[in-house]
Amino acid sequence: SAETMEFSGASLTPHWMTQDILHKLFSYAFDEVGCQMVLTRNSEGNKRLHRQLARYGFTRWDVPRLFGRGENGVFWTLTDNAWRANNFHPGTKSHEQTQTADAA
């Protein structure tokens, strides 16, 4: 098996995507299910999400016309190795600094 999982989401606000939620989501995929890679796809126009995914360690793959003739798309992949190395997990220095800044 490929040991991959695709995820998607929808929200009225981007603020749902906290580090704790992301950790739970990917801990499920990598630690509980045993996936070696997760992926997601979205419109090339979703710039805010693109910044978040890139910061989290995803690799970008542009796909012309993924959403039709007039709309290109982007596949984003995150390997288990990249996820474990991204420093956004609870207990890491990067995570603690962000949580402190969010509380201020």
Side-chain angles (χ1 to χ4, degrees):
S1 111
E3 298 176 339
T4 61
M5 180 182 290
E6 185 171 355
F7 75 95
S8 63
S11 176
L12 297 175
T13 173
H15 301 291
W16 73 270
M17 201 164 85
T18 65
Q19 288 182 13
D20 289 333
I21 294 296
L22 289 171
H23 184 274
K24 289 175 186 173
L25 175 73
F26 298 116
S27 179
Y28 171 75
F30 295 126
D31 294 334
E32 292 184 42
V33 176
C35 290
Q36 59 90 19
M37 181 190 301
V38 295
L39 58 102
T40 189
R41 56 192 160 133
N42 51 65
S43 169
E44 71 177 347
N46 197 340
K47 304 296 185 197
R48 181 183 202 136
L49 180 59
H50 294 180
R51 287 190 301 272
Q52 291 170 320
L53 293 172
R55 184 172 177 224
Y56 202 70
F58 279 78
T59 300
R60 179 182 175 139
W61 305 90
D62 293 290
V63 183
R65 298 168 56 165
L66 182 64
F67 292 99
R69 290 184 186 277
E71 188 173 2
N72 295 334
V74 181
F75 269 107
W76 291 90
T77 59
L78 181 68
T79 64
D80 55 346
N81 294 346
W83 178 70
R84 291 186 198 332
N86 75 8
N87 291 323
F88 285 104
H89 304 294
T92 64
K93 187 175 182 180
S94 175
H95 179 267
E96 298 303 322
Q97 290 172 342
T98 302
Q99 293 300 307
T100 303
D102 288 345

